[in-house]
Amino acid sequence: MNTEKDFSPLTPNIVRALNDKLYEKRKVAALEIEKLVREFVAQNNSTQIRHVIQILASEFALSQHPHSRKGGLIGLAACSIALGKDSGLYLKELIEPVLTCFNDSDSRLRYYACEALYNIVKVARGAVLPHFNLLFDGLSKLAADPDPNVKSGSELLDRLLKDIVTESNTFDLVAFVPLLRERIYSNNQYARQFIISWIHVLESVPDIHLLDYLPEILDGLFQILGDNSKEIRRTCEVVLGEFLKEIKKTPSSVKFAEMANILVIHCQVADETKLTNDLIQLTAMTWMREFIQLAGRVVLPYSSGILTAVLPCLSYDDRKKNTKEAASACNHSLMKLVTLEDDEDIEEERSGSMGSPSAGEGQPKMEGDSNDMLNASQESVGLSNISFFTPACSDRPQVTLDLDGIVQVLDRHLHDSSTGMMTRIAALKWLYHLYIKTPRKMFRHTDSLFPILLKTLSDESDEVILKDLEVLAEIASSPAGQTDQASSCDIIENKLVLKVQEGPKPGQQSSTGPKTVDSSPSTPSMNSYFYKFMINLLKRFSMERKLLENRGAFIIRQLCLLLHAENIFHSMADILLKEEDLKFASTMVQTLNTILLTSAELFQLRNQLKDLHTQESCALFCCLYRSWCHNPVATVSLCFLTQNYKHAYDLIQKFGNLEVTVDFLMEVDKLVQLIESPIFTYLRLQLLDVENNPYLIKALYGLLMLLPQSQAFQLLSHRLKCVPNPELMRTVDESKYMDSKKQAVCKRSSHTQVDYNELLQHFDRVQSKHLEVRHQRSARASDHHDRKLM
C-alpha cells in the first residue's frame, strides 16, 4: 500500500484517510490538507506547496487504485481552496491530473474529477483562462459522457467556465480557434450541443470578435445545422442568424471571399431525401444572397461557383419555395453586378498586372488551393458533385469577372439533360446578358457555344426556345461579332458550309467598329455570324424534320421579329438555292411561303413585296422566286402576292408538264383557301377591274382547271362566278381611270427590271431536277422491293 512510502509533509493519518473507501474519511483528509496548505501559504513556502500537489497527483490521483484516485482528486481540490487567489500559480499542476481522470472507466471517478475541477476553477476564476484549451478539451469529452451524473456535473462546470469567459476581457481567441475548428466536426449529438452553445456564448461577448474567425468554423456550423436533434438545429440557426446580423452591421470587415466556397458547397444538396439538407441549403442560399448584396462587385471573381450553386435551385417546385426565391434573388443580384466595364480589353489588363495571368485567360480554376481551407467535413457533402472556385489573382486590386468560368457553368447546364426548365431559361438569360454587357469577350466563346445553342432550339419548352433565339439573334446582330472575313454559303459534299471571302486589307476600318462589314447581300445589318446561323439552322431543320414540322414556323416567326423578316427570308432563300436535298428544299420553301402569307409578323415584308416599287423589293422578289421554284404552288402564290399575274398564268400553263401528285393538289387546295383569306383582299378586289387584270382571272381559272371537283374547286368556282361583266363596270370617268392605271403601271415598270423569261427558264430547270430526283428515288425503291421479293 501507499502507506509504506514517505509522503511527508502529508501525515500517515491523511494518507490512510485518502486511501479509504469511505467518502467521509476522504473528506476529513481533504480538510486536513486544506489546513496544511494554508500554513504553507502563510509561510510563503511554495516548495512545500508544490510538493504536496505533486504527491497528490502522482501517488493518488494517478494511482492504480480507485479509492486512492478519489482521495487524490478531493485532495487537489482542497489545495486549490486553500491557495485561494494564489491558486493561479499552481493551476497546471492542479488541473492536468484531474483532466486525466476524465478518461477513467469508472463513472463515479469521472464524476469526482468533474467535481474537483469545478472547485479548482471556482477558486481560480479568470486565472484558469491561460489553460482554457485544456479545460475545453476535457469538457467536450464529458459532454458526451453516457453517465447522467457525469453529464450533470460537466454541465455545472461548463456554466461556470462560460461565466468566467463572459466576465473576462483576456480570453485568448487566437489560441482557442484551432481547437474549436477541430472539435466542431464531431458527429456526437452531445458534443455538438456543447460546441454550438460555446460558439453562441463567445459570439455574444462584445470584446470577443469571433466574426473574424468565422471562415474557419462556418463549414462546421453548417454541418451541425444538419443534426437530427431539433434543439441543436434551432440553436445553430440562432447562432448563424446572429453572425449574419453582425455581418450586415460591419460588412467592411467581413471576409466574404474566404466564406464563399463554403456557401457554394452547402447550397448544393447532396441528398435531397433528408429534410435537414433543405434547411442547410436554404440557410446557405440566404447567406449567399446577403453576401452578393453586401459585397457587390467583390464577389465577381467567384461568380462561376455561385452560379453552380444557384442555377439548379431555380427549377425547384413549391416544396422548396423559399430556397427557390432566395436563389432567384442571388441570381438577379449577381447578374446586375456585370456591367460594360467588364468588357475592357484583356490586353490592357495584362499590361497593368505586370504579366500576371488574367481571369479570362485559359480555363477557370475550378479546383485549387481553396480546397485547403475546407477540411475533412467536405466528404460528407459529396465533393464529386461540387465545383470549387478561387479568384484568378486574389491580391489584385481590380475586380475581374470570371467570364470563362461562368461560360463553362452555363454551357454545362445547357448540355445536361436533367437540367430543369427554369434553370435552362436562367442560363440563356445569363448568356444574353453577357453578350449585351461584355460582347467583345463573349465572342471568344461563341464558336464553342454555337452548337449547344442550336441544339437547344429542339427544347420542349417554348419559353426556352424564345430565350435561346434571343441569344442567337444577339450573336447574329452584334457589331462585336463581325469578323475580318465576310461570309457567304456554299455546299460541299451535301453539307452547308461557310464560304469565306477576302477580308479587309491592313489599315482598313476595324471590324469591331460601329460600322459592320456585310456578311452577304442579304444581311445589310447583320454580322458575320448571321449567315453562319442561318446555314446551321437550316441544316438542323434538314436533320430534324420533326423540329421543322412542330417548331419551324414558330422559330422563323420569332427570328423575323428579332432580326428583321427581310434578312431572314433573303438569307434562307440564298442558302436554299444551293441546297442539294431537293425534297427538303421544297418542304422548307413551303414552310417559308406559309409564314410569308399568313403571319402577322410578316405584314411589313408583304407590303414591301406587294407593289415592287423599288429596286430593293425587286431584288428580294427575284431572290425569293429562285428558291421558291423548288415548290411550284409556292411560286405561284409569290406571284399573286407581288401582283405578277401574267407570270403566275405563265407558270400555271407549265403545270401541265409537271408530275401532278396528291401532295401537289393539296397545296393548290391550300392556295385557294389562302386566296379567300384577308391577306389577299386586294387580289379579290382587283377582280372588279376585269379589263386591266385579265391574267389574274386566267390564272385563277387555271388553278380551277387543275383541281378535281372538290370543296376547293367549288369555292374558287363560286368566286369566279362573282367576277362582273366588264361592260357593266364602265363609268363616265373610265378614261381618267385608265390614264391613272397606265401611270401606275408605268411607275411600277420604271422601277422593276425583272427578267421574267429568265425566271421561267430557272423554274423549268429547278423542276427538271426535282423530276429527275423523284424518278431516281422511285427506281431505288423499286429495286429494293424487287430484292426483298427475291
Side-chain angles (χ1 to χ4, degrees):
M1 288 291 294
N2 290 339
T3 53
E4 298 175 1
K5 295 182 181 180
D6 181 16
F7 295 105
S8 58
L10 298 183
T11 66
N13 289 337
I14 294 176
V15 172
R16 277 195 300 275
L18 286 176
N19 287 318
D20 201 285
K21 65 179 180 179
L22 295 176
Y23 171 74
E24 289 77 9
K25 290 189 176 182
R26 293 197 300 273
K27 187 173 181 180
V28 170
L31 292 173
E32 289 295 323
I33 291 172
E34 181 181 342
K35 181 179 177 182
L36 181 65
V37 172
R38 286 185 190 278
E39 291 175 2
F40 290 145
V41 170
Q43 299 166 7
N44 201 20
N45 191 343
S46 59
T47 303
Q48 286 291 66
I49 295 172
R50 289 188 188 280
H51 192 46
V52 169
I53 295 174
Q54 183 183 358
I55 291 171
L56 290 171
S58 60
E59 301 298 330
F60 290 90
L62 302 178
S63 170
Q64 297 298 317
H65 302 285
H67 299 312
S68 299
R69 292 201 294 277
K70 294 173 185 176
L73 289 171
I74 198 169
L76 289 170
C79 287
S80 178
I81 293 169
L83 288 167
K85 62 180 182 180
D86 293 333
S87 63
L89 301 171
Y90 309 93
L91 276 177
K92 189 173 185 296
E93 294 90 335
L94 289 168
I95 290 174
E96 286 183 352
V98 177
L99 289 174
T100 302
C101 293
F102 278 9
N103 299 317
D104 200 285
S105 59
D106 185 354
S107 61
R108 288 291 297 166
L109 204 138
R110 294 199 301 275
Y111 175 78
Y112 285 131
C114 190
E115 186 181 51
L117 189 58
Y118 178 88
N119 287 316
I120 293 170
V121 171
K122 186 175 182 181
V123 172
R125 302 296 294 185
V128 301
L129 290 179
H131 309 280
F132 179 80
N133 279 15
L134 279 174
L135 298 173
F136 185 88
D137 183 52
L139 268 177
S140 64
K141 295 172 184 174
L142 291 189
D145 198 285
D147 187 270
N149 291 324
V150 176
K151 277 189 64 181
S152 176
S154 72
E155 287 169 4
L156 285 173
L157 176 57
D158 182 51
R159 283 198 292 272
L160 174 61
L161 201 56
K162 283 173 181 172
D163 289 341
I164 293 170
V165 170
T166 305
E167 296 165 2
S168 172
N169 56 5
T170 60
F171 181 74
D172 189 356
L173 186 61
V174 176
F176 171 62
V177 166
L179 178 61
L180 177 61
R181 187 177 61 229
E182 175 193 337
R183 292 303 165 87
I184 201 170
Y185 288 109
S186 171
N187 290 322
N188 183 278
Q189 194 175 90
Y190 298 107
R192 282 181 164 182
Q193 180 73 62
F194 172 76
I195 291 289
I196 197 65
S197 68
W198 265 102
I199 294 174
H200 193 190
V201 168
L202 294 175
E203 204 280 328
S204 64
V205 179
D207 293 331
I208 298 177
H209 303 291
L210 191 57
L211 182 63
D212 295 342
Y213 301 92
L214 183 57
E216 299 188 51
I217 62 171
L218 184 61
D219 181 59
L221 284 172
F222 276 105
Q223 297 283 349
I224 293 175
L225 191 61
D227 195 89
N228 293 326
S229 166
K230 188 175 182 180
E231 184 181 352
I232 292 175
R233 292 200 304 271
R234 189 183 298 115
T235 306
C236 193
E237 276 190 272
V238 171
V239 169
L240 286 167
E242 291 299 319
F243 273 124
L244 193 55
K245 285 180 185 176
E246 197 172 347
I247 287 171
K248 290 179 183 179
K249 290 178 184 176
T250 58
S252 59
S253 61
V254 177
K255 300 172 182 176
F256 290 107
E258 294 182 24
M259 292 185 278
N261 276 327
I262 300 166
L263 296 183
V264 167
I265 290 171
H266 293 289
C267 281
Q268 301 173 81
V269 175
D271 182 4
E272 294 191 12
T273 61
K274 288 184 67 177
L275 294 176
T276 53
N277 282 340
D278 290 349
L279 176 61
I280 293 173
Q281 188 181 33
L282 173 59
T283 307
M285 196 65 70
T286 303
W287 275 59
M288 185 76 81
R289 180 188 64 201
E290 298 296 337
F291 271 33
I292 295 171
Q293 292 174 353
L294 293 170
R297 287 180 59 82
V298 171
V299 302
L300 277 183
Y302 314 96
S303 46
S304 61
I306 296 172
L307 283 178
T308 298
V310 166
L311 288 178
C313 302
L314 300 177
S315 293
Y316 285 168
D317 54 27
D318 287 343
R319 288 175 297 176
K320 295 185 178 182
K321 183 180 178 183
N322 292 337
T323 305
K324 181 179 180 179
E325 289 175 352
S328 180
C330 286
N331 185 56
H332 182 68
S333 299
L334 188 63
M335 190 178 289
K336 287 203 303 184
L337 296 178
V338 181
T339 62
L340 293 171
E341 68 181 273
D342 293 305
D343 203 29
E344 292 174 0
D345 196 348
I346 287 182
E347 294 300 324
E348 294 175 10
E349 292 177 13
R350 285 179 183 153
S351 61
S353 61
M354 301 296 290
S356 63
S358 67
E361 188 174 332
Q363 296 298 319
K365 299 180 182 178
M366 301 305 285
E367 294 184 3
D369 296 338
S370 63
N371 295 11
D372 296 339
M373 65 175 282
L374 300 171
N375 39 44
S377 68
Q378 294 170 350
E379 297 173 6
S380 63
V381 290
L383 289 184
S384 60
N385 299 322
I386 292 167
S387 297
F388 298 99
F389 57 91
T390 56
C393 190
S394 58
D395 57 349
R396 288 180 62 183
Q398 184 181 359
V399 172
T400 306
L401 177 68
D402 179 22
L403 188 63
D404 287 358
I406 292 176
V407 172
Q408 267 197 355
V409 172
L410 300 176
D411 184 67
R412 188 167 67 245
H413 278 99
L414 289 176
H415 271 98
D416 188 355
S417 59
S418 64
T419 302
M421 182 188 76
M422 296 308 297
T423 299
R424 297 198 300 277
I425 291 171
L428 292 166
K429 284 182 177 178
W430 260 102
L431 286 175
Y432 181 76
H433 184 72
L434 291 172
Y435 272 109
I436 294 293
K437 297 297 183 182
T438 61
R440 289 190 298 168
K441 290 183 180 179
M442 275 302 294
F443 268 96
R444 297 165 190 173
H445 298 278
T446 299
D447 288 336
S448 62
L449 287 170
F450 217 64
I452 187 59
L453 290 173
L454 286 164
K455 184 180 179 182
T456 305
L457 291 174
S458 303
D459 197 276
E460 59 187 17
S461 164
D462 285 353
E463 195 172 350
V464 171
I465 294 175
L466 280 173
K467 292 301 173 188
D468 190 38
L469 288 172
E470 286 182 14
V471 178
L472 286 164
E474 182 58 31
I475 291 173
S477 60
S478 172
Q482 183 60 52
T483 64
D484 289 338
Q485 294 174 325
S487 306
S488 66
C489 70
D490 210 337
I491 298 179
I492 299 175
E493 297 180 356
N494 298 323
K495 294 182 181 180
L496 289 166
V497 295
L498 282 178
K499 183 179 178 182
V500 182
Q501 301 170 354
E502 284 290 324
K505 299 291 186 292
Q508 288 182 336
Q509 183 178 358
S510 170
S511 63
T512 56
K515 186 175 181 180
T516 61
V517 180
D518 293 344
S519 59
S520 84
S522 64
T523 57
S525 61
M526 301 296 107
N527 63 30
S528 304
Y529 278 93
F530 174 80
Y531 224 66
K532 182 178 181 180
F533 174 31
M534 291 297 104
I535 289 170
N536 282 279
L537 178 60
L538 287 174
K539 188 188 299 183
R540 191 152 200 89
F541 283 151
S542 176
M543 292 186 297
E544 291 187 45
R545 297 301 171 88
K546 285 274 187 185
L547 176 64
L548 177 60
E549 292 172 17
N550 300 332
R551 298 291 179 79
F554 171 71
I555 290 171
I556 293 169
R557 288 202 321 270
Q558 294 304 318
L559 285 175
C560 287
L561 290 174
L562 293 166
L563 292 173
H564 306 297
E566 181 181 355
N567 291 328
I568 302 299
F569 273 75
H570 203 156
S571 60
M572 285 191 170
D574 279 346
I575 298 165
L576 288 171
L577 193 59
K578 303 175 180 69
E579 174 60 60
E580 292 187 352
D581 184 347
L582 300 185
K583 187 174 181 181
F584 167 69
S586 177
T587 303
M588 195 68 224
V589 164
Q590 185 181 0
T591 302
L592 290 170
N593 188 63
T594 303
I595 296 169
L596 177 63
L597 295 179
T598 60
S599 298
E601 296 89 348
L602 278 294
F603 174 78
Q604 190 174 351
L605 184 60
R606 284 196 294 272
N607 278 349
Q608 185 179 343
L609 288 167
K610 186 176 174 182
D611 295 321
L612 299 182
H613 279 167
T614 63
Q615 289 288 358
E616 291 78 11
S617 60
C618 292
L620 178 60
F621 165 70
C622 290
C623 176
L624 296 182
Y625 181 96
R626 292 180 186 280
S627 288
W628 261 230
C629 286
H630 285 297
N631 189 295
V633 180
T635 313
V636 170
S637 66
L638 179 64
C639 291
F640 281 155
L641 176 65
T642 55
Q643 302 183 68
N644 282 302
Y645 302 132
K646 182 180 184 306
H647 194 73
Y649 173 69
D650 292 339
L651 285 172
I652 292 171
Q653 288 288 90
K654 291 180 174 291
F655 283 7
N657 300 323
L658 301 180
E659 185 179 6
V660 178
T661 62
V662 174
D663 289 340
F664 177 87
L665 292 175
M666 288 178 64
E667 289 179 37
V668 176
D669 191 300
K670 290 177 183 177
L671 177 56
V672 171
Q673 303 290 340
L674 278 172
I675 290 171
E676 294 296 320
S677 70
I679 298 293
F680 282 112
T681 300
Y682 68 91
L683 181 146
R684 297 196 300 274
L685 288 174
Q686 286 173 346
L687 291 174
L688 294 172
D689 187 5
V690 179
E691 291 189 350
N692 288 299
N693 294 294
Y695 287 104
L696 170 58
I697 297 171
K698 283 186 173 186
L700 293 178
Y701 269 109
L703 291 179
L704 186 67
M705 295 305 130
L706 284 170
L707 285 168
Q709 294 196 22
S710 58
Q711 185 178 356
F713 177 91
Q714 299 296 335
L715 188 65
L716 184 54
S717 174
H718 184 69
R719 172 64 64 186
L720 288 171
K721 285 177 184 177
C722 297
V723 174
N725 186 328
E727 294 297 326
L728 298 176
M729 299 300 290
R730 293 187 185 279
T731 63
V732 291
D733 295 327
E734 187 71 20
S735 58
K736 292 182 180 179
Y737 172 76
M738 290 300 292
D739 290 340
S740 65
K741 185 71 176 176
K742 287 178 181 178
Q743 290 174 6
V745 171
C746 290
K747 182 179 179 183
R748 177 184 171 106
S749 61
S750 66
H751 286 287
T752 57
Q753 297 178 353
V754 178
D755 187 345
Y756 288 101
N757 288 328
E758 193 276 329
L759 292 180
L760 278 175
Q761 292 171 12
H762 176 77
F763 178 84
D764 288 337
R765 288 194 297 272
V766 172
Q767 285 305 307
S768 295
K769 287 183 182 177
H770 276 269
L771 184 62
E772 182 182 344
V773 169
R774 277 198 297 270
H775 286 169
Q776 290 174 354
R777 193 181 300 122
S778 298
R780 284 196 298 270
S782 177
D783 289 345
H784 179 67
H785 181 66
D786 291 343
R787 282 196 298 272
K788 285 182 70 176
L789 289 175
M790 291 173 64

